[in-house]
Amino acid sequence: MTADRREMSIARLCRQEHTDFLFLARTPWCWLFEFSAVYESGSYANLCALAYQGVPAGPVITLFLHIDKTVEGRPWGSATLLDYPTAAQDTAIFSALSPAQRERHIRLMVRRYTRNARYCSVREVIEYLKTGEVR
C-alpha cells in the first residue's frame, strides 16, 4: 500500500462517516470499503469482494473493522478476522436480495462480528496476515 493510499484510508476511518468497514488485502493490493457497499450488487466494493472467489493464487486477507471512537485523531474499535471464501460466498448470496433484506442481513452480520468476536493472540493475527488462513 502506498503512503498516500494508507493516509487516505486512515483519514476515511477517522472521519467516521461510517463505522463498519471491510478490509481486503492481496499482494500487492489492499482495499478499504464501507461495509454495506460490499453488498450492493455490481458496485466496485462488491466486485472487489468477489474477485478472488475460487482463485488459488495466494491468500486474501479479510478483516471486518468496527470503529467505536476516535482518540487523538486515531480510530479505535475492533477488528474481526474473516475467512475470505466464506465472506465472499456470503456477499454473493446476499447481494442478490432486495435492499431491505440486505440491510437486515448487514445489521445481523455487524452484530455477530462485534458481539461474538473470537479472541485470539497477536501471534495468531500475525500468522493470519502472513498466510490468510484462520486456524
Side-chain angles (χ1 to χ4, degrees), residues 3-96:
D4 290 340
R5 198 162 172 202
R6 182 175 46 247
E7 293 301 318
M8 285 176 27
S9 293
I10 292 171
R12 205 167 158 207
L13 291 171
C14 291
R15 283 194 306 265
Q16 288 190 352
E17 294 168 359
H18 305 284
T19 58
D20 302 308
F21 296 88
L22 184 70
F23 176 80
L24 296 170
R26 184 165 190 260
T27 305
W29 306 104
C30 65
W31 303 268
L32 181 68
F33 297 114
E34 193 270 315
F35 191 64
S36 64
V38 172
Y39 287 93
E40 293 173 15
S41 185
S43 70
Y44 181 69
N46 179 262
L47 295 173
C48 288
L50 299 173
Y52 297 105
Q53 271 187 307
V55 177
V60 178
I61 306 303
T62 312
L63 301 169
F64 171 78
L65 305 176
H66 177 77
I67 307 303
D68 292 319
K69 60 185 174 182
T70 301
V71 177
E72 296 178 12
R74 295 190 176 193
W76 284 74
S78 60
T80 304
L81 304 174
L82 303 178
D83 176 57
Y84 174 75
T86 303
Q89 182 180 20
D90 179 77
T91 300
I93 292 169
F94 289 94
S95 294

Side-chain angles (χ1 to χ4, degrees), residues 106-123:
I106 290 167
R107 282 193 309 274
L108 290 172
M109 297 306 290
V110 168
R111 187 176 310 137
R112 178 186 301 163
Y113 292 154
T114 56
R115 290 187 181 164
N116 301 322
R118 178 174 87 69
Y119 289 103
C120 62
S121 70
V122 172
R123 181 182 175 140

